[in-house]
Amino acid sequence: MRELIIDLDAIARNLNTMRAKTNGALALAVIKADAYGHGMLPVAKKLEAAGADYLGVADIEEAMKLRAEGIDLPILAWLHSPTENFVSAIDAGIELGIANIDHLERIAKASQQLRRVARVHLKVDTGLGRNGAGAAEWPEVLQKAHELVAEGFIQVVAIFSHLSCTSEADDLNQIARFEAACDQAKAAGIDFELRHLVASDGLLRYPQAHYEMVRIGVALYGLSPFVENSAADFGLVPAMTATARVTQTKRVGANQGVSYGYLHRTAAETTLALIPVGYAEGLPRNATGKAQVSIHGKQYSVNSRVAMDQFVLDVGNDAVAAGDLVTIFGDPAAGVPSADDLAAACDTINYEIVTRMGGRFHRSYLGESN
């Protein structure tokens, strides 16, 4: 009844499209949060075959799942529990984004226990105010890292940070802070291979900040990181199409209330079509009255309340029957609503729309690697 169709070939093309916009920088493909709702393991296998240089996840649990499935690419994980001991991660060759002394000390203990050098990426907060060592902590983190390198416990692979993408002025200020932080690392005797700062948005706007590696997230999935631009503006192809089958239709008369709260009443005799997708599948409840879906190439407004399991369309006198395909969103080049359209209707961003899709949706894959 419900299907998410994931085009893995589109993801591979998007990787190459974005990589071609750099001057030879390594490409870290971000597949956290189940690859933004697209399925982490199939996407990882496709990206490995397509030549991604790194994979990026938020936490160690995600990274360990990839290793368990035989993914050999370098994997970076950067969001850790305060009590993480890092033993399993280091043993699996996971590279670790680290922002404080406590985690460095825990990594050193794990390294000593395993007799294996841990590969770390030191993260500095250049103004986003999230993960990363602040300006006051940064020299202490560098000093501790230098000590642990000398003792043979860690290797500093990279220095990294993350832009806020608030404004060009803010971003340029962060770029300057990042370069100053890298200079501090060099002055502290830290020998690192890579710098990475930009994600999809920064990659497209700030070529001077590509450095040795870029992180490609939402653009991998064929979505624009900017609300003012479409994916097509950057040569990207949406990878997810969300569909369902009409489960029931019925004729009703005028002034029939439809779904909870009777937010929609029929204006005349009409056909109602029941669609088995609701907020349990990730369709936002506040899509009510604003979103549109497509049947037989025609778009219909979701005028009645989106419920947990379903919503109802008023399709008038159109020939819609049980079993007909409903496209909730997909590639707008195919004449259907996009994830951007649904995001705009729900006052959110395309990232959230695709990432939250799940529930009882069945995923199927095009271009799956063997």
Side-chain angles (χ1 to χ4, degrees):
M1 289 193 295
R2 316 164 188 90
E3 188 172 26
L4 295 178
I5 303 165
I6 312 299
D7 187 344
L8 296 173
D9 288 334
I11 291 174
R13 288 196 300 273
N14 293 332
L15 170 69
N16 291 326
T17 295
M18 292 296 284
R19 196 206 313 257
K21 298 179 188 297
T22 75
N23 190 23
L26 297 180
L28 183 152
V30 182
I31 57 170
K32 64 182 181 178
D34 206 19
Y36 293 47
H38 292 68
M40 183 174 69
L41 296 176
V43 170
K45 290 175 182 178
K46 187 68 175 186
L47 290 169
E48 187 170 44
D53 300 293
Y54 263 81
L55 298 177
V57 294
D59 59 44
I60 288 170
E61 183 178 355
E62 292 174 313
M64 295 300 288
K65 288 179 182 177
L66 294 172
R67 283 288 186 257
E69 291 294 319
I71 300 297
D72 292 327
L73 280 176
I75 302 170
L76 173 65
W78 54 76
L79 192 62
H80 313 301
S81 161
T83 59
E84 180 63 58
N85 67 21
F86 298 106
V87 171
S88 62
I90 296 170
D91 193 41
I94 306 302
E95 299 187 14
L96 301 163
I98 298 298
N100 62 60
I101 290 175
D102 177 62
H103 279 163
L104 281 173
E105 290 175 341
R106 290 176 182 274
I107 286 171
K109 289 179 182 178
S111 172
Q112 187 173 29
Q113 176 182 331
L114 293 167
R115 296 185 180 181
R116 178 170 181 169
V117 176
R119 289 170 60 86
V120 304
H121 298 225
L122 299 179
K123 187 167 189 182
V124 58
D125 180 5
T126 54
L128 185 58
R130 297 194 317 191
N131 190 22
E137 306 166 88
W138 186 238
E140 298 172 6
V141 169
L142 294 175
Q143 181 180 349
K144 174 57 70 172
H146 186 266
E147 292 170 4
L148 297 180
V149 169
E151 293 169 9
F153 295 134
I154 70 168
Q155 175 187 354
V156 177
V157 177
I159 308 294
F160 76 119
S161 191
H162 200 305
L163 296 178
S164 73
C165 294
T166 301
S167 69
E168 182 178 9
D170 287 304
D171 291 342
L172 293 177
N173 187 39
Q174 280 194 260
I175 291 170
R177 289 182 184 179
F178 179 70
E179 293 182 351
C182 291
D183 289 342
Q184 282 181 278
K186 291 176 184 176
I190 303 292
D191 183 18
F192 54 91
E193 305 166 18
L194 305 172
R195 296 167 293 171
H196 52 104
L197 174 64
V198 296
S200 298
D201 40 17
L203 187 162
L204 292 167
R205 281 186 168 161
Y206 307 112
Q208 74 272 30
H210 290 175
Y211 304 118
E212 293 78 33
M213 187 159 76
V214 295
R215 301 187 301 268
I216 309 172
V218 75
L220 276 180
Y221 309 103
L223 300 172
S224 169
F226 310 118
V227 294
E228 63 270 26
N229 292 102
S230 71
D233 290 342
F234 304 113
L236 303 171
V237 179
M240 179 186 288
T241 301
T243 66
R245 295 283 175 178
V246 175
T247 59
Q248 179 184 352
T249 61
K250 58 186 172 185
R251 294 290 288 179
V252 299
N255 203 37
Q256 168 70 53
V258 184
S259 193
Y260 294 122
Y262 287 176
L263 301 181
H264 175 67
R265 290 180 183 269
T266 60
E269 183 180 352
T270 189
T271 297
L272 299 180
L274 185 65
I275 318 302
V277 174
Y279 52 80
E281 280 65 56
L283 179 64
R285 188 170 180 266
N286 66 341
T288 301
K290 294 172 283 187
Q292 292 189 322
V293 299
S294 177
I295 305 175
H296 301 319
K298 181 176 179 179
Q299 295 196 16
Y300 296 91
S301 295
V302 181
N303 287 328
S304 63
R305 174 70 73 193
V306 174
M308 184 181 293
D309 316 298
Q310 56 206 290
F311 64 91
V312 181
L313 296 176
D314 183 340
V315 300
N317 295 315
D318 292 345
V320 174
D324 284 352
L325 184 69
V326 182
T327 301
I328 297 166
F329 64 82
D331 186 349
V336 298
S338 67
D340 299 284
D341 294 328
L342 181 54
C346 298
D347 192 26
T348 187
I349 55 175
N350 52 21
Y351 298 67
E352 181 179 1
I353 293 299
V354 295
T355 301
R356 71 190 296 168
M357 287 293 136
R360 290 159 292 196
F361 270 115
H362 169 75
R363 284 199 196 110
S364 63
Y365 291 92
L366 307 176
E368 195 161 14
S369 299
N370 295 324

